[in-house]
Amino acid sequence: MSIAEVARLAGVSTATVSRALSGRGHVSAKAREKVLEAASELGYVVSQAASSLASGRTRNVGIVLPFLNRWYFTTVLEGAQQRLMRAGYDVTLYNLAGDGDERREVFEHFLLRQRVDAVIAVSLELTEPEVTRLHAIGKPLVGVGGPIPGVHTLAIDDVAVARLATEHLVGLGHTRIGLIGGDHESDADFHLPTKRRQGFEAAMNDAELPIVATRIADADFTIEGGYRAAKQLLGPLRERPTAIFAASDEMAFGAMLAARDLGLQVPNDISIIGVDDHDQSEFFGLTTVAQFPREQGAAAVDVLMAQLEPRDAEMPADTPLPFELRVRSSTSRPRD
Amino acid sequence: MSIAEVARLAGVSTATVSRALSGRGHVSAKAREKVLEAASELGYVVSQAASSLASGRTRNVGIVLPFLNRWYFTTVLEGAQQRLMRAGYDVTLYNLAGDGDERREVFEHFLLRQRVDAVIAVSLELTEPEVTRLHAIGKPLVGVGGPIPGVHTLAIDDVAVARLATEHLVGLGHTRIGLIGGDHESDADFHLPTKRRQGFEAAMNDAELPIVATRIADADFTIEGGYRAAKQLLGPLRERPTAIFAASDEMAFGAMLAARDLGLQVPNDISIIGVDDHDQSEFFGLTTVAQFPREQGAAAVDVLMAQLEPRDAEMPADTPLPFELRVRSSTSRPRD
DNA sequence: TTGAAAGCGCTAACAA
DNA sequence: TTGTTAGCGCTTTCAA
């Protein structure tokens, strides 16, 4: 089943079939119709391999992620994939999780096989050589959720997000505010833990509130990590914080569970705020600063499309990504 | 950068380069070495498009999933992807979630473009035409987690799993046992809800225990759904169940939270068991019947590889997939 | 074990 | 607007 058979059945040349099916180049309405009819009658679908070889375009985008088991990553992936599919593009998934050489393999072989037209890197701080390599083979690259030097990146302002969350607690009248930050091991790649901490500290300083070391604990962005960190922060009775800012919703969930296990009521005894607006945050009644990973994924695709298919879209403006405070029932004024 | 340049630098023909690099066909050690050296010196990586066109093999496998935001699916995906990558294969991801035509698009266009050598369908009951179409273009197909007529499928015995879970509760001495099953909307495709219910009923019948309609509630496999269902089951004081079998761990988590909110202690007042052995089950202390989605994904790849590259492996035997009771702290003898 | 050369199926420049 | 045709870069006979 090749383009030649379609051409024969439609009574035109293969070039016309190609033009009619791809949409590039001029084809008369009549010819287009004949081609479409013939193609559907034969159940013809173009061979990507042949098309790629001839045109140099694969209609395939690589998405590189550090993990698959975290809400943020899969949600970005979903947003990007949906938009790409609508544009007729495939998505090839490169998951870097694993014991060993995945990362090197991906960057030294998989991505260089001329299989993708572009790459989306999610929450990954690529190294200089990794970026260079991709640029060298002329592949557009866009980052989501993490800063990559010299690359168009879509990311929320993590400092501002943390500041907003902290200010919400300050605004409610809290003065003893704890922080569950991200540890650096679990996120070596994106400086998110540092930034969210900076925002926290900035807000505390502005409010002239003390930043107390014993009210700061690091965790690994999981529920369990948040649980442990909260137990640590809330354990001592004296000078216990009345509010906690957790750098992610999943850690905030853990903190809420820890509070309950300690016999503390949320929000009466302890207010808790997170970041993300995770699928389950509504269920937990968690106040949070929402970011919109699905939209972030889709926006990344728009940026790529502007480069890959300059005809139908101009480059989207480089606007900062939105975030938004969502007040629910996990925060309130302190009881005092 | 093409194979010709490598050939020139190595002082051999393009055919020899191809053979040396792909490993098929005989090449002298000397020639192979020269080729490898030249290739690495030039940073040469084969063009997949050209290779595919010439050989008819893409070294790419399509994985089709109904959602991305559930632990089971992403874990299967991760297991499959890791193994495929190790074999030098790419993974193209087809996520059917979305508002509309995704499914038709995927099966009528994306999968037919000769972009994949094989397809793995996760928790999807493909229709007759969908299967036929794939077979018609000669693409091996394997299913994970859901039965597909006429297709090699890897799935645990859901009836047996549910029976095992229920028998655990019966064995502890429970007689009033509730079920949180799956509703059919959220999983139209795999008959898992029905099967797990069958297993539950079989175990109850064997133990000569009554199956009471008010002790059965359906949910959508989410925490929130499990929470609601449990509230419903545990609300009435009289004849309240002393144990609940939830058809998934995420629903079981919800049930545990609901129990707490009702002032019930797990396991003293209510025992809860799930299915999956979710990442977080250990943290919640949830007793569960573990299945091993990562291994299921990897096993699916083994089946495909046996078909795609018959040389290096015989077809793995069609053994039933393992599952295993994991007793933790959410189940105990009833108090009575 | 190696090399020459004929495609694989399509696209895009060019000509008509 | 359409057709002719030369590649795209690789694999794989076939012959040596």
Side-chain angles (χ1 to χ4, degrees):
Chain A
M1 172 54 45
S2 79
I3 199 172
E5 298 177 48
V6 180
R8 197 167 340 114
L9 183 58
V12 298
S13 71
T14 61
T16 297
V17 174
S18 174
R19 285 188 282 249
L21 259 27
S22 72
R24 6 189 148 260
H26 301 280
V27 187
S28 66
K30 201 188 325 163
R32 160 170 293 111
E33 196 181 328
K34 282 189 298 185
V35 168
L36 260 32
E37 201 171 304
S40 102
E41 182 172 333
L42 295 172
Y44 170 78
V45 178
V46 293
S47 154
Q48 275 295 326
S51 174
S52 299
L53 184 57
S55 69
R57 304 175 74 280
T58 65
R59 305 208 135 241
N60 185 35
V61 168
I63 301 190
V64 191
L65 307 163
F67 303 101
L68 231 31
N69 53 10
R70 219 130 86 204
W71 177 80
Y72 178 79
F73 302 129
T74 52
T75 308
V76 169
L77 175 60
E78 195 161 75
Q81 205 256 347
Q82 263 165 21
R83 178 139 320 177
L84 282 166
M85 186 164 144
R86 215 153 291 157
Y89 277 69
D90 277 324
V91 169
T92 295
L93 177 71
Y94 299 102
N95 176 16
L96 266 27
D99 31 12
D101 265 2
E102 283 79 5
R103 183 164 184 151
R104 208 168 50 70
E105 274 293 303
V106 165
F107 284 97
E108 293 188 3
H109 290 103
F110 285 81
L111 287 176
L112 305 182
R113 304 196 285 188
Q114 314 215 50
R115 262 187 144 302
V116 300
D117 289 337
V119 174
I120 297 177
V122 184
S123 290
L124 235 31
E125 185 174 353
L126 304 187
T127 64
E128 168 87 31
E130 285 166 349
V131 172
T132 308
R133 208 146 197 164
L134 252 23
H135 280 324
I137 57 172
K139 301 302 174 202
L141 168 63
V142 23
V144 178
I148 306 176
V151 172
H152 190 136
T153 309
L154 302 172
I156 52 172
D157 180 342
D158 282 298
V159 177
V161 163
R163 178 190 272 277
L164 176 60
T166 310
E167 283 171 351
H168 170 66
L169 299 175
V170 169
L172 288 169
H174 291 275
T175 56
R176 299 203 304 275
I177 302 179
L179 169 68
I180 299 181
D183 58 15
H184 290 253
E185 274 159 56
S186 62
D187 288 278
D189 259 326
F190 55 146
H191 294 295
L192 187 156
T194 309
K195 291 201 189 150
R196 293 201 180 155
R197 180 166 177 158
Q198 284 168 354
F200 168 77
E201 293 181 348
M204 294 295 275
N205 286 332
D206 285 0
E208 300 185 350
L209 292 173
I211 294 164
V212 181
T214 55
R215 291 194 199 125
I216 297 182
D218 287 345
D220 60 359
F221 284 90
T222 65
I223 294 189
E224 186 169 357
Y227 181 90
R228 288 223 199 84
K231 277 264 173 110
Q232 180 185 329
L233 296 182
L234 298 175
L237 288 179
R238 62 179 57 231
E239 295 292 295
R240 174 148 69 192
T242 60
I244 288 179
F245 163 46
S248 84
D249 277 4
E250 297 189 66
M251 294 194 291
F253 298 154
M256 291 176 83
L257 296 173
R260 282 214 243 182
D261 283 357
L262 289 167
L264 300 173
Q265 291 225 340
V266 175
N268 292 341
D269 301 311
I270 175 81
S271 285
I272 295 175
I273 185 170
V275 174
D276 268 349
D277 203 22
H278 189 287
D279 272 349
Q280 278 153 23
S281 297
E282 172 112 46
F283 169 68
F284 279 99
L286 178 68
T287 296
T288 190
V289 179
Q291 63 173 326
F292 305 92
R294 177 170 280 103
E295 285 68 25
Q296 292 174 12
V301 172
D302 291 343
V303 171
L304 288 182
M305 285 302 160
Q307 291 172 255
L308 294 176
E309 315 199 342
R311 54 186 66 186
D312 40 85
E314 58 253 38
M315 194 64 168
D318 195 358
T319 54
L321 297 182
F323 55 88
E324 197 177 298
L325 181 66
R326 291 242 209 279
V327 179
R328 300 202 179 94
S329 56
S330 69
T331 51
S332 71
R333 310 187 65 78
R335 234 192 342 201
D336 310 351
Chain B
M1 173 53 44
S2 80
I3 199 172
E5 299 177 48
V6 179
R8 195 161 348 110
L9 182 56
V12 299
S13 70
T14 61
T16 297
V17 174
S18 174
R19 286 189 279 248
L21 259 28
S22 72
R24 352 185 161 265
H26 302 280
V27 187
S28 66
K30 201 190 321 165
R32 160 169 293 111
E33 195 181 332
K34 282 189 297 183
V35 168
L36 260 31
E37 200 171 305
S40 102
E41 181 172 336
L42 295 171
Y44 170 78
V45 178
V46 292
S47 154
Q48 274 295 325
S51 173
S52 299
L53 183 57
S55 69
R57 304 175 74 277
T58 65
R59 304 208 136 240
N60 184 34
V61 168
I63 301 190
V64 191
L65 307 162
F67 303 101
L68 231 30
N69 53 12
R70 218 129 85 206
W71 176 80
Y72 178 79
F73 301 131
T74 51
T75 307
V76 170
L77 175 58
E78 196 161 74
Q81 205 255 348
Q82 263 165 20
R83 180 140 319 179
L84 282 166
M85 187 164 141
R86 216 152 291 157
Y89 277 68
D90 277 323
V91 169
T92 296
L93 177 69
Y94 298 101
N95 175 14
L96 266 26
D99 31 13
D101 266 0
E102 283 79 4
R103 183 165 182 150
R104 208 169 48 71
E105 276 292 304
V106 165
F107 284 95
E108 293 188 5
H109 291 103
F110 284 79
L111 288 177
L112 306 183
R113 304 197 282 189
Q114 314 215 49
R115 260 186 144 304
V116 299
D117 289 337
V119 174
I120 297 176
V122 184
S123 289
L124 235 28
E125 185 173 354
L126 303 188
T127 64
E128 168 86 33
E130 285 167 349
V131 173
T132 309
R133 209 146 196 163
L134 252 22
H135 279 324
I137 57 172
K139 301 302 175 202
L141 169 61
V142 24
V144 178
I148 307 176
V151 172
H152 189 135
T153 310
L154 302 173
I156 51 172
D157 180 342
D158 282 299
V159 177
V161 164
R163 178 190 272 276
L164 176 59
T166 309
E167 283 171 349
H168 170 65
L169 299 175
V170 169
L172 288 168
H174 292 275
T175 56
R176 300 203 304 276
I177 301 178
L179 169 69
I180 300 181
D183 59 15
H184 290 255
E185 275 158 57
S186 63
D187 288 278
D189 258 326
F190 55 147
H191 294 293
L192 185 156
T194 309
K195 291 202 188 147
R196 294 203 180 154
R197 181 168 176 154
Q198 285 168 354
F200 169 76
E201 293 180 348
M204 293 296 275
N205 286 333
D206 285 359
E208 300 186 351
L209 292 173
I211 294 163
V212 180
T214 55
R215 288 192 201 129
I216 297 182
D218 286 346
D220 59 359
F221 284 92
T222 66
I223 294 188
E224 186 168 358
Y227 181 90
R228 287 221 198 84
K231 276 262 171 112
Q232 181 185 326
L233 296 182
L234 298 175
L237 289 180
R238 65 177 56 234
E239 296 291 297
R240 174 149 68 192
T242 60
I244 289 179
F245 163 47
S248 84
D249 278 3
E250 297 189 66
M251 295 194 292
F253 298 155
M256 291 176 85
L257 296 173
R260 282 214 240 181
D261 283 357
L262 290 167
L264 299 172
Q265 292 226 340
V266 176
N268 293 342
D269 301 311
I270 175 82
S271 284
I272 296 176
I273 185 171
V275 175
D276 269 348
D277 203 22
H278 188 287
D279 272 350
Q280 278 153 23
S281 297
E282 172 113 47
F283 169 67
F284 279 99
L286 178 68
T287 295
T288 190
V289 179
Q291 62 173 327
F292 306 91
R294 175 169 283 105
E295 284 69 25
Q296 291 174 11
V301 172
D302 291 341
V303 172
L304 288 182
M305 285 304 160
Q307 289 173 257
L308 293 175
E309 316 199 341
R311 54 185 68 184
D312 37 86
E314 56 253 39
M315 194 66 167
D318 195 358
T319 54
L321 297 182
F323 55 89
E324 195 177 301
L325 180 66
R326 291 244 209 277
V327 179
R328 300 202 179 95
S329 57
S330 70
T331 51
S332 70
R333 311 188 65 79
R335 236 195 336 206
D336 309 350

